[in-house]
Amino acid sequence: METSRRNFLKAGGACLLGLSLWPAVRVLAGDGPDVKADAGALKGKRWGLVIDMRKCWPQYQQGCRDCMLACRREHNIPVIDNKDEEVKWLWTEPYKNAFPEQEHAYTPAAIADKPFLVACNHCDNPPCVRVCPTKATFKRPDGIVTMDYHRCLGCRYCMAACPYGARSFNFQDPRPFIKEENLDYPTREKGVVEKCNFCAERLDKGQQPACVEACRVGALIFGDLDDPNSEVRKILAERNTIRRKPELGTHPSIYYLV
Amino acid sequence: MLVKALSGSKKYWGWITVLLALSGAGLACYLWQLQQGLTITGMSRDVSWGLYIGQFTFLVGVAASAVMVVLPYYLHNVKVFGRITILGEFLAVAAIIMCLLFVIVDLGKPMRLFNMIFYPTPNSILFWDMVVLNGYLLLNIIVGWHALEAEYKGVAPPSWTRYLVYISIPWAVSIHTVTAFLYAGLPGRHYWLTAIMAARFLASAFASGPALLILLCYIIKRVSKFDPGREAIQKLAAIVTYATIISVFFVGLELFTAFYSQVPAHGMDSLTYLFVGLEGHGKLVPWMWTFVVLAVLALVLLINPVTRGKDGYLLLACGAVFIAMWIEKGIGLVIGGFVPNAFERVTEYIPTLPEALIALGIWAAGFLILTILYKIAIAVKEETV
């Protein structure tokens, strides 16, 4: 059979139309997710974390790194020596670097030189979610800002958008750099971004975040910011806390007691 | 008409071979990058965009500048531009293809590129950039090709292409506005968080694009029988002059706001890093002063009507404008935005050799496309002359 140019174009057009209908077909034909939520899952409207650095420092000075090590084990975080390509979820920064706007020449020495735990702030108004072109970074209904590592393009727009330096990119295959692998959490491939996820996978099983559970002195307090009776809300009501870069309108969910 | 690209002088084929070799070298490095990851580049967790995204940003401007020949011709009836609108449109096509390639090589997971279409996300400026860039590419291919085909056949171009031309004019503005919004909407990047970002982008685009077009016109005049015409070139030169003045003025506005207000959060730290160095780091300082010297030189040569009217000086000025804008936008603007980082520390960035070769390879591929398109266009024009 001769195919005229006209017929070829017609067939091509029909095929294209079919392709564009495909997502709709999938939605209509699918019967929804077959994963059921755990009955014991922790439920919150907006998870938040209060970090009491005064409790932390004496331990930290004695070499305690329990929270960071627990986080690394839980999430298969690679240990990469090269500072430029480090993957960091939870780490420390000096006061003047973590709170550049609050630091002044006469900051008490008891604070100025001390390390502060920093991580993704799980902003209520997260710029990383706003800029992501594929919704690979998204905010869950419980306020956690998390990622789908399988959808991420590796465009790194979120890294440009995050004002807290909380995002890391896998410049190379991270798997050879994982010390001990936790089979309950995925490892990542090269070319995707990652960051702290407030242990969403543990909350869904009814557990506290790994760093909170690991802390021996209770310096990390996790809870629902939306619940006036939660422990975090009680602390926030009683004591003065600070947040990182509040002037940017991102509304971080991590509060610091200093 | 495509066949016209297949017959040319020895010089033509020599040039094509050089471009193919450079593209090939870039491709080889890219295959290596695909295998190893972006670790082979100089980018880091602090400077997470580098040469690739810088080139992308600069070339969007070159593409947008096609409107500077199209608009006067179609809206103000500037007849002398009629002969060169096709050159502007084909330059836009080549520049946009380079832009798209630069975005693709920057991706950590290029095989997931289509996730942008499978999961369209209108709140992301990158999504809109994809829409406007591809739309602009399509508009210029359709309009350019139909205009050329009509010229080849000695008839008027189909009337419906005129509507596409009208659409392409605001569309050109949109591609560079949206690209500026990629930067200007981020809360933590003080150097980028400026309301005049899109205006700055457009001004430098309308300087660098027409400057390149003037250089290309001179080359075309030399290697072919087609003469774009002195009057057209002089009109373009006037556009380059105004756009360069506005562009430099805008950079001055940024400097004033930052340094008179003395608010660090208005880009003072980034500008200090770029022009004099910050905390002992100043790898971009020589580049930025090269920008300053070239911009001043270009302004002197362009504003003076005597030098602007002389071929040699005009060529020099256009070269200076092109390089100056490339430094300011393709290097300083993107990297400067990442310095200092979120923790007020300075991490410097230097592209690696494979990274530079990949970038050079894309430029070569773009010029290959441009050469072929111009070859066809000029062959058609030579026949009708």
Side-chain angles (χ1 to χ4, degrees):
Chain A
M1 188 187 97
E2 270 305 310
T3 307
S4 69
R5 176 149 76 165
R6 194 182 169 82
N7 280 332
F8 176 76
L9 286 175
K10 272 186 194 164
C15 288
L16 272 180
L17 192 70
L19 273 180
S20 68
L21 287 175
W22 177 238
V25 171
R26 258 194 331 194
V27 168
L28 292 174
D31 29 27
D34 39 8
V35 181
K36 290 225 162 55
D38 194 312
L42 296 183
K43 291 199 177 69
K45 288 227 176 82
R46 188 186 162 200
W47 292 116
L49 185 68
V50 174
I51 304 180
D52 188 343
M53 289 314 299
R54 279 182 193 278
K55 278 190 187 163
C56 170
W57 289 327
Q59 297 291 320
Y60 186 89
Q61 258 158 355
Q62 286 165 29
C64 173
R65 301 288 184 275
D66 287 357
C67 56
M68 292 176 258
L69 292 174
C71 176
R72 181 199 291 173
R73 269 195 304 273
E74 170 69 23
H75 299 112
N76 296 316
I77 300 170
V79 182
I80 293 167
D81 282 338
N82 178 355
K83 265 203 148 344
D84 283 348
E85 299 187 3
E86 260 180 312
V87 176
K88 300 195 271 195
W89 285 37
L90 178 67
W91 72 105
T92 59
E93 291 285 348
Y95 182 71
K96 70 174 166 74
N97 300 99
F99 298 94
E101 296 80 7
Q102 321 227 2
E103 182 253 356
H104 58 78
Y106 312 110
T107 308
I111 293 175
D113 306 324
K114 291 283 169 44
F116 278 72
L117 275 173
V118 292
C120 167
N121 276 295
H122 298 277
C123 304
D124 202 26
N125 184 12
C128 55
V129 171
R130 208 180 307 145
V131 301
C132 179
T134 61
K135 304 186 190 82
T137 286
F138 58 98
K139 196 172 134 198
R140 307 200 327 171
D142 59 3
I144 294 181
V145 176
T146 191
M147 282 192 66
D148 181 345
Y149 309 119
H150 300 279
R151 191 184 284 191
C152 174
L153 292 176
C155 71
R156 308 188 299 296
Y157 197 6
C158 54
M159 295 178 78
C162 177
Y164 303 105
R167 291 180 159 269
S168 306
F169 180 70
N170 286 284
F171 283 90
Q172 53 189 320
D173 180 10
R175 285 168 186 160
F177 302 96
I178 299 171
K179 295 237 158 123
E180 40 186 317
E181 195 175 325
N182 169 19
L183 294 175
D184 289 334
Y185 195 80
T187 57
R188 274 74 67 197
E189 289 184 332
K190 67 165 188 282
V192 299
V193 172
E194 60 180 78
K195 64 166 198 74
C196 161
N197 67 345
F198 256 3
C199 284
E201 79 285 356
R202 287 173 62 91
L203 302 180
D204 291 345
K205 286 187 289 189
Q207 295 168 314
Q208 290 274 309
C211 55
V212 175
E213 195 183 86
C215 183
R216 342 174 173 167
V217 290
L220 300 167
I221 307 108
F222 185 79
D224 188 358
L225 292 169
D226 216 44
D227 173 8
N229 298 315
S230 68
E231 205 189 338
V232 286
R233 278 290 294 275
K234 281 180 191 152
I235 298 171
L236 294 179
E238 280 166 16
R239 296 177 60 187
N240 189 31
T241 47
I242 54 172
R243 293 191 289 181
R244 291 178 63 202
K245 306 188 181 181
E247 74 280 7
L248 298 180
T250 54
H251 303 295
S253 300
I254 296 187
Y255 294 76
Y256 294 86
L257 285 165
V258 280
Chain B
M1 291 193 295
L2 273 173
V3 74
K4 297 196 182 303
L6 296 177
S7 56
S9 63
K10 268 208 176 116
K11 266 189 190 159
Y12 171 70
W13 287 111
W15 173 238
I16 295 276
T17 313
V18 169
L19 292 176
L20 277 174
L22 288 173
S23 310
L27 181 65
C29 289
Y30 181 61
L31 291 177
W32 190 40
Q33 181 187 295
L34 265 186
Q35 200 198 2
Q36 298 293 314
L38 285 158
T39 182
I40 70 156
T41 69
M43 288 183 275
S44 61
R45 80 191 296 290
D46 289 332
V47 185
S48 48
W49 282 340
L51 195 59
Y52 300 151
I53 294 297
Q55 304 309 293
F56 154 76
T57 308
F58 175 73
L59 285 164
V60 173
V62 173
S65 68
V67 76
M68 283 290 110
V69 284
V70 171
L71 187 147
Y73 177 66
Y74 284 95
L75 296 190
H76 299 281
N77 206 19
V78 177
K79 291 256 175 3
V80 289
F81 278 168
R83 297 158 64 80
I84 59 167
T85 49
I86 188 78
L87 300 182
E89 283 154 355
F90 282 172
L91 177 60
V93 170
I96 292 280
I97 291 172
M98 281 190 262
C99 290
L100 297 175
L101 288 174
F102 272 115
V103 172
I104 291 169
V105 298
D106 188 65
L107 293 178
K109 287 270 175 216
M111 58 296 264
R112 295 184 188 165
L113 180 65
F114 282 91
N115 278 2
M116 285 182 70
I117 296 162
F118 296 148
Y119 311 104
T121 311
N123 49 269
S124 173
I125 300 294
L126 203 52
F127 169 78
W128 290 108
D129 218 25
M130 172 191 75
V131 171
V132 292
L133 287 177
N134 284 296
Y136 193 62
L137 176 63
L138 216 61
L139 279 173
N140 277 288
I141 290 178
I142 296 172
V143 170
W145 197 259
H146 274 287
L148 194 64
E149 205 163 33
E151 196 173 337
Y152 180 53
K153 291 178 182 158
V155 294
S159 56
W160 54 268
T161 58
R162 212 177 163 84
Y163 296 103
L164 294 188
V165 170
Y166 293 146
I167 294 170
S168 84
I169 291 170
W171 203 290
V173 178
S174 86
I175 64 166
H176 221 27
T177 304
V178 173
T179 305
F181 285 177
L182 282 179
Y183 296 95
L186 306 180
R189 305 285 172 193
H190 306 315
Y191 186 43
W192 296 340
L193 192 69
T194 164
I196 64 161
M197 188 62 104
R200 262 180 83 183
F201 270 36
L202 287 165
S204 68
F206 297 152
S208 56
L212 178 61
L213 206 52
I214 290 176
L215 295 173
L216 291 170
C217 283
Y218 276 102
I219 295 171
I220 289 167
K221 213 165 121 182
R222 249 195 121 146
V223 299
S224 79
K225 280 179 280 180
F226 171 65
D227 181 3
R230 183 180 156 75
E231 210 188 322
I233 288 177
Q234 280 301 311
K235 275 229 154 49
L236 275 177
I239 291 171
V240 174
T241 308
Y242 279 113
T244 307
I245 293 170
I246 297 171
S247 211
V248 170
F249 175 65
F250 281 166
V251 174
L253 293 184
E254 298 283 7
L255 288 166
F256 173 80
T257 307
F259 289 102
Y260 195 81
S261 74
Q262 296 278 309
V263 179
H266 275 286
M268 206 168 72
D269 289 341
S270 297
L271 284 167
T272 307
Y273 168 70
L274 288 174
F275 284 98
V276 291
L278 189 66
E279 292 167 21
H281 300 280
K283 292 222 165 72
L284 289 184
V285 174
W287 287 94
M288 294 315 286
W289 286 100
T290 309
F291 154 70
V292 171
V293 170
L294 289 176
V296 170
L297 172 76
L299 284 179
V300 170
L301 294 177
L302 286 171
I303 292 173
N304 182 347
V306 179
T307 44
R308 191 173 71 225
K310 289 210 173 84
D311 286 357
Y313 285 124
L314 181 60
L315 279 173
L316 182 64
C318 286
V321 166
F322 190 76
I323 296 168
M325 296 305 160
W326 178 78
I327 293 173
E328 198 270 321
K329 204 147 116 200
I331 295 184
L333 186 115
V334 174
I335 299 164
F338 287 106
V339 180
N341 72 1
F343 298 100
E344 304 283 310
R345 288 201 191 91
V346 179
T347 303
E348 293 209 274
Y349 160 83
I350 316 166
T352 59
L353 182 66
E355 190 179 3
L357 285 174
I358 290 172
L360 188 65
I362 293 177
W363 275 95
F367 272 89
L368 185 66
I369 293 164
L370 186 70
T371 304
I372 291 169
L373 289 175
Y374 273 19
K375 177 82 172 76
I376 297 168
I378 290 160
V380 168
K381 284 179 184 294
E382 280 174 336
E383 276 174 23
T384 54
V385 163

